[in-house]
Amino acid sequence: MVCIILLKPFNKTAQVRRGTLLHEAARLAGIDLHLPCGGQGRCGRCAVILEDGSQARRRSTLRLSQADLLAGYALACQTVVEGDIVAHIPPQERVERRLTTDKTAVGIELPLVYDPGHEQPLRALPLRLPPPTLDDNTDDLARLQRELARQHGIQELQVDLPVLRRLGRTLREAEWVVTAVVEMIPLSPPGPIGANLSPPGPPILGGVSGRGASSPQDWGVRGADWKRGAGGSARLIDVHPSDHFSLWGIAIDIGTTSNVVYLLDLQTGRVVGQAADYNAQLARGEDIISRIIYASKDNGLAELQALVVGTLNRLIERVCRRQRVDPMEIVKVTVAGNTTMLHLFAGLPPAWIRLTPYIPAANQIPAFTASQVGLNVHPQATVDCLPGVASYVGADITAGAVSSGLATTDKLTLFVDVGTNGEMVLGNRDWLVACACSAGPAFEGAGVEHGMRATEGAIEEVWIHSATFEPTVRVIGGGKPHGLCGSGLIALLAELFVTGVIDKAGNLRHDLGTPRVRRGAHGDEYVVAWAEETATGRDIVLTRVDIDNLMRAKAAIYAGFSVLAQSVGIALADVEQVLIGGAFGQYLNVEKAVQIGLLPDMPWERFQFLGNTSVRGAAMALLSQVVRRQMAEVARKMTYLELSMDNRFHEEFMSAMFLPHTEVERFPRVHELSGR
């Protein structure tokens, strides 16, 4: 049976088979509905109004109140088409805030001294070839190999079929004056970094199994000598019909929320441009578990792969246009991201990442060419996905450990990336131990009654008067608020606690004489903004359920810190510095984060905000083979703790399920401020 779906206000139609989900019908009509929970019906963001819905069956009404149902609302991802339907689609949430600017990357300094002669394997080698004659009837490829050996000392050449197919025409049209773009491969690669040193062994980890190893003591080892006569083997990327070819590279961070690219001049080592945007996969799931589930459905994996590559291609086109660079001159790409994001980028099935015993297809994905994933750069450009450690500690953390200086510092350091997954590394140059805890999507605004991403209209900061309990808010874009984003939720929870609106267990107090605290449809709630003050015409509230979700998220992250410290027999107070990476960290208010027990209570000067350490690490690996080997060694030696199998994590989690903690002596300044 064929059903006709009319979608307003676009007045678009789709013809679908009976049993199709409404969001699939919308996509066929050219309307892409956002599915932040991956189509599981958990978030309520794909709600539509059924103007004629007698032939629609709601498979689930989760997130819809009785009033919503009476008004005709239905979740598009949970509504089955059983006949002709007329549906109205409300305005979709638009992403306004750019997590990283698109301006020219002036002032981006990478923490390394660039020596392309010793560390950069990519070469643009000018060649003048003698044309073939009856006396010299050597074939084109052999002629090219002969001249590369004679003029540049390259004894062995690896050639892929797509390059060979173009070779003959290119040589003749260029009249035998060309540039060979090659990636050098040393015949005798340098020995292990720090191989001649005798570092101390890793610390005792209290019986926790891991893949720890002796660590390098000096990463300042010279890379391979890529000059003539050293190495002698290369992979041919292209034969360019001129005697000049510029070498460019792209460093990429594929975040769950945002994607960032840096454009680098491989001859000077400078970052000349950057671009960023939200990962288009957000429309199919806001957290990695939702996307793993979506990838397991029908053509879900291919769809998610196309969405992220589409985002990256738009960013590459944008940054190249601004810098007047031909994307076909981009001959190397390095990619960082969490393990799931790299699987989806490469088209690897991620299903087993979320299933016990949590095994990815690969922690180190072998290099491939850009054409194999559809990146719009030189089709033979090498795409190097940086190494990860485990299912939930990926290449973004490896890159961050190196670019932040954690892998080379003598200080006891805690490196943390706060987000849907709280990933953290504790250690110094001698040893590293890492874990990840599922904080849930609360800090991204999901799973919260009036939560939203950090877009225009999101409340990002809150202050509450200690006598009147009236809030003051700051809204992204400056207009009326639509909801609360992650930084606003942390600030609100902290303010509610220190002003006494909630107790240490998260219970709202009704004895304060303020109408802001009331009983709502879902239990107790605090009104952040009255209906007449909002852009939606509805009160914006924080419910007791929301408070519980936020407390679980912060407790998971703090418990991760605690278990890491216990595993190596130290106290969190002994940590000399806390390095905070990631996009969300840029907007995190340390004082408020400490007040709720998300971060440990220590002097402010120990905290450092580093921004996107993942893309910076990818840029460093793009330039330097020494750094790239360092990342492989860091990933290899990092001990991974699987918290789901550790009883200590459960104990620490339960202890952290209070504000700021059950053990108030861990948070002396917060105790002094709140008096509780």
Side-chain angles (χ1 to χ4, degrees):
M1 175 180 175
V2 176
C3 308
I4 298 175
I5 312 301
L6 173 62
L7 300 168
K8 295 181 177 180
F10 310 98
N11 290 326
K12 291 187 175 182
T13 60
Q15 295 186 20
V16 299
R17 291 182 179 274
R18 181 178 180 180
T20 302
L21 289 171
L22 186 55
H23 82 89
E24 295 171 348
R27 191 184 312 165
L28 290 174
I31 302 170
D32 196 13
L33 294 175
H34 294 309
L35 305 177
C37 67
Q40 300 174 72
R42 291 188 291 103
C43 67
R45 300 253 189 94
C46 65
V48 300
I49 302 171
L50 300 177
E51 295 185 358
D52 182 356
S54 59
Q55 297 298 311
R57 176 169 56 86
R58 293 176 176 86
R59 199 165 60 182
S60 170
T61 58
L62 187 69
R63 308 293 297 181
L64 296 177
S65 66
Q66 189 61 36
D68 291 333
L69 295 173
L70 291 174
Y73 280 94
L75 302 180
C77 72
Q78 298 295 313
T79 300
V80 180
V81 174
E82 296 188 338
D84 296 347
I85 293 174
V86 178
H88 179 89
I89 299 177
Q92 295 282 289
E93 180 181 288
R94 294 185 302 125
V95 175
E96 296 292 346
R97 175 190 274 184
R98 290 291 174 261
L99 299 182
T100 304
T101 67
D102 275 1
K103 297 179 180 178
T104 301
V106 176
I108 294 180
E109 297 292 340
L110 302 178
L112 81 166
V113 177
Y114 185 47
D115 183 357
H118 290 91
E119 295 188 68
Q120 180 53 252
L122 289 160
R123 289 284 179 268
L125 304 175
L127 282 175
R128 288 182 175 271
L129 286 74
T133 64
L134 291 176
D135 295 325
D136 179 10
N137 58 0
T138 305
D139 64 80
D140 293 340
L141 178 58
R143 185 178 303 275
L144 180 72
Q145 291 173 318
R146 183 185 69 192
E147 294 306 312
L148 278 171
R150 186 178 68 82
Q151 298 180 38
H152 297 286
I154 295 176
Q155 302 302 321
E156 296 182 11
L157 190 67
Q158 299 177 11
V159 183
D160 293 333
L161 189 58
V163 179
L164 185 58
R165 286 171 174 165
R166 300 189 302 270
L167 179 62
R169 179 180 295 275
T170 299
L171 291 174
R172 287 163 179 81
E173 290 181 351
E175 298 181 348
W176 306 93
V177 178
V178 296
T179 297
V181 183
V182 300
E183 185 171 20
M184 301 298 298
I185 304 170
L187 293 175
S188 300
I193 298 173
N196 298 324
L197 300 167
S198 300
I204 301 300
L205 295 179
V208 178
S209 62
R211 292 181 293 124
S214 296
S215 61
Q217 294 294 293
D218 180 12
W219 297 109
V221 179
R222 291 170 67 86
D225 187 349
W226 301 109
K227 295 180 180 178
R228 175 176 172 165
S233 180
R235 181 176 80 90
L236 184 64
I237 294 175
D238 199 7
V239 176
H240 190 68
S242 73
D243 58 359
H244 176 74
F245 185 90
S246 298
L247 294 174
W248 297 93
I250 286 284
I252 294 174
D253 170 44
I254 302 178
T256 308
T257 300
S258 62
N259 296 166
V260 183
V261 302
Y262 281 3
L263 175 66
L264 287 91
D265 183 339
L266 298 183
Q267 294 165 319
T268 66
R270 289 194 311 115
V271 180
V272 300
Q274 63 176 318
D277 206 343
Y278 282 84
N279 188 336
Q281 291 177 342
L282 283 167
R284 301 294 176 263
E286 287 195 339
D287 59 87
I288 61 175
I289 299 301
S290 296
R291 292 187 207 172
I292 291 173
I293 292 171
Y294 193 88
S296 303
K297 300 176 181 177
D298 300 326
N299 200 42
L301 176 57
E303 185 182 347
L304 289 172
Q305 199 268 346
L307 284 170
V308 71
V309 170
T311 301
L312 296 175
N313 282 337
R314 288 190 292 275
L315 294 176
I316 291 169
E317 191 277 333
R318 186 190 305 166
V319 74
C320 286
R321 183 178 66 248
R322 188 178 300 115
Q323 299 303 318
R324 298 179 181 176
V325 169
D326 183 352
M328 292 300 105
E329 293 183 327
I330 295 172
V331 290
K332 183 72 176 286
V333 180
T334 52
V335 188
N338 67 50
T339 306
T340 297
M341 290 302 100
L342 292 190
H343 275 57
L344 296 178
F345 168 68
L348 300 177
W352 298 281
I353 289 175
R354 65 181 284 263
L355 303 175
T356 306
Y358 316 112
I359 303 300
N363 284 318
Q364 171 60 79
I365 299 173
F368 47 84
T369 61
S371 63
Q372 290 176 284
V373 290
L375 279 182
N376 289 340
V377 296
H378 194 290
Q380 291 301 112
T382 297
V383 179
D384 179 20
C385 293
L386 299 180
V389 179
S391 286
Y392 297 106
V393 174
D396 51 345
I397 303 305
T398 305
V402 172
S403 66
S404 68
L406 168 59
T408 55
T409 185
D410 292 321
K411 293 182 177 180
L412 180 58
T413 301
L414 177 64
F415 173 79
V416 58
D417 189 332
V418 178
T420 303
N421 268 339
E423 297 128 327
M424 55 205 75
V425 185
L426 180 66
N428 56 26
R429 66 187 300 174
D430 296 329
W431 56 272
L432 297 168
V433 58
C435 70
C437 52
S438 179
F443 290 144
E444 302 291 344
V448 175
E449 181 74 14
H450 290 109
M452 61 185 293
R453 294 197 298 269
T455 68
E456 184 174 0
I459 295 172
E460 62 176 344
E461 186 61 272
V462 182
W463 301 268
I464 295 178
H465 195 283
S466 59
T468 65
F469 309 109
E470 287 294 302
T472 301
V473 303
R474 184 172 68 212
V475 180
I476 298 174
K480 289 186 174 183
H482 289 261
L484 292 144
C485 66
S487 60
L489 287 165
I490 290 174
L492 175 57
L493 187 62
E495 287 289 296
L496 289 172
F497 175 61
V498 298
T499 58
V501 178
I502 59 176
D503 62 20
K504 65 183 301 181
N507 298 306
L508 284 151
R509 292 177 55 190
H510 288 269
D511 60 346
L512 300 176
T514 172
R516 297 277 177 178
V517 178
R518 69 186 188 190
R519 183 166 298 277
H522 303 288
D524 290 348
E525 61 188 25
Y526 175 85
V527 182
V528 185
W530 300 110
E532 60 270 19
E533 301 169 334
T534 72
T536 61
R538 294 189 296 174
D539 295 344
I540 294 175
V541 303
L542 187 75
T543 70
R544 177 56 206 265
V545 174
D546 298 336
I547 292 172
D548 287 344
N549 285 336
L550 291 167
M551 289 175 66
R552 278 193 293 269
K554 76 91 181 176
I557 291 174
Y558 188 84
F561 299 157
S562 300
V563 172
L564 279 186
Q566 291 176 33
S567 298
V568 293
I570 65 170
L572 278 176
D574 297 330
V575 172
E576 297 175 82
Q577 59 179 351
V578 179
L579 308 180
I580 301 174
F584 182 67
Q586 298 178 73
Y587 305 104
L588 189 63
N589 183 315
V590 169
E591 182 178 8
K592 302 290 179 65
V594 171
Q595 287 170 0
I596 68 171
L598 171 63
L599 295 177
D601 192 352
M602 57 181 58
W604 304 139
E605 60 268 18
R606 295 191 194 178
F607 293 93
Q608 296 182 43
F609 292 92
L610 303 179
N612 194 325
T613 55
S614 178
V615 71
R616 190 156 64 245
M620 293 167 64
L622 178 68
L623 295 177
S624 171
Q625 289 294 293
V626 170
V627 171
R628 179 61 180 82
R629 291 201 311 279
Q630 178 190 8
M631 288 184 182
E633 177 65 13
V634 165
R636 184 188 69 81
K637 75 167 186 172
M638 194 179 292
T639 300
Y640 173 66
L641 301 183
E642 179 52 65
L643 296 181
S644 66
M645 307 300 292
D646 195 320
N647 290 333
R648 291 171 301 179
F649 177 74
H650 177 72
E651 294 168 2
E652 287 291 337
F653 175 79
M654 297 307 296
S655 295
M657 273 294 293
F658 293 86
L659 297 170
H661 199 275
T662 53
E663 300 176 25
V664 294
E665 61 272 14
R666 295 194 190 188
F667 292 84
R669 288 187 296 179
V670 181
H671 177 60
E672 181 181 353
L673 178 66
S674 66
R676 287 169 287 158

